[in-house]
Amino acid sequence: VITLLVAPVRYHPGFTVSPMVFPATLLIVFTGTMIGYALAHAITNPMTTQLVTQALVFAAMGFAPILFPAEQMPTWLASVNEWLPLGHMATIMRDVLTDGLVTDVGRAYLVVSVWGVVCGWLAVRALGRRR
């Protein structure tokens, strides 16, 4: 919330909130939750789960195109990020909060949706094995 209040002063992005903000936010939250559930239920040791999630936070902030554009990354890392959900989640949120800042968000919705469904399926499968 603070970022949304400070950004217009510093960057002048021209916020225009789309009616898609609610479904887009639900998709992003669903996918993030399913990734967490899949990790938590697939890894039986809680300390290992914590280590993996902390490494993912580090990777998300340092090596995903969230805080800076993919064009500033090495080519191989930008290619890897085309298939990971974090940068696409940011693209979706930028799309529903601004007008014209991003284009062609269909791929972002597809990648985030596939990650959500696959990780949800993996979480349910891991839960079924624990019985």
Side-chain angles (χ1 to χ4, degrees):
V1 172
I2 292 172
T3 302
L4 293 175
L5 296 174
V6 173
V9 175
R10 175 74 168 102
Y11 299 106
H12 313 290
F15 286 123
T16 54
V17 179
S18 164
M20 285 293 293
V21 71
F22 186 69
T25 302
L26 284 178
L27 174 64
I28 291 168
V29 169
F30 170 77
T31 300
T33 303
M34 290 302 106
I35 292 170
Y37 277 163
L39 284 172
H41 293 297
I43 302 171
T44 57
N45 184 346
M47 295 302 285
T48 304
T49 303
Q50 184 178 11
L51 176 67
V52 169
T53 57
Q54 292 302 311
L56 285 175
V57 168
F58 174 76
M61 293 301 115
F63 303 106
I66 297 172
L67 301 175
F68 53 90
E71 293 81 29
Q72 294 180 355
M73 297 178 160
T75 306
W76 68 269
L77 186 56
S79 297
V80 168
N81 276 297
E82 282 294 315
W83 301 101
L84 298 176
L86 299 173
H88 292 294
M89 290 175 175
T91 299
I92 291 169
M93 193 53 64
R94 286 183 192 111
D95 179 55
V96 297
L97 291 178
T98 62
D99 187 30
L101 186 62
V102 294
T103 58
D104 192 28
V105 294
R107 178 175 171 80
Y109 278 100
L110 178 66
V111 169
V112 172
S113 298
V114 167
W115 270 88
V117 169
V118 169
C119 287
W121 177 77
L122 290 171
V124 168
R125 185 178 162 134
L127 278 171
R129 285 190 302 204
R130 283 192 170 186
R131 291 185 206 180

